[in-house]
Amino acid sequence: MIAAAATHMRSGLWVQNGGYETPLLYAVTALGVAFAGPGGVSLDRLFGLNRPWPYGLYAVALGLLAALSSVMVRRRRLAKEPDQPQRNDARHPKQRLKIRIPV
């Protein structure tokens, strides 16, 4: 959810402005589930994996590594790309395609 929130950081917190409120809510919920541990009816409980703290830390570390790597790759790619043509530019692919439907 860090990668999703990173795309909305410039818009602020609130979702009605296109902000990162929803990814933040999902990330906090996922952290709560990761640190709460398995429930009474789960495969973790069946296999005897009853230690939520180490697994919660592993899940957080793995999530942070995955999110930061994808954000870094995206920022590098955006820095290397030339400026994108504007929507009103005739070279833009969607501007060249004009479909006319007879009435």
Side-chain angles (χ1 to χ4, degrees):
M1 294 315 304
I2 292 171
T7 60
H8 298 282
M9 286 301 245
R10 291 186 182 178
S11 301
L13 174 66
W14 306 115
V15 74
Q16 67 263 24
N17 298 328
Y20 59 92
E21 178 185 12
T22 303
L24 179 67
L25 174 70
Y26 292 161
V28 169
T29 303
L31 283 173
V33 170
F35 284 110
V41 182
S42 68
L43 291 176
D44 290 337
R45 200 63 82 173
L46 179 67
F47 294 127
L49 303 173
N50 296 327
R51 298 170 298 202
W53 283 103
Y55 294 113
L57 290 176
Y58 298 150
V60 169
L62 183 64
L64 284 174
L65 285 174
L68 292 176
S69 66
S70 68
V71 168
M72 287 173 52
V73 167
R74 182 175 179 269
R75 287 190 180 177
R76 278 190 191 163
R77 188 177 301 147
L78 288 176
K80 288 182 181 179
E81 287 181 1
D83 291 338
Q84 297 292 328
Q86 299 296 322
R87 287 277 184 178
N88 57 3
D89 191 354
R91 293 173 294 171
H92 194 277
K94 290 190 177 182
Q95 291 295 329
R96 283 186 271 150
L97 179 65
K98 293 185 179 181
I99 301 174
R100 296 193 177 139
I101 301 173
V103 183

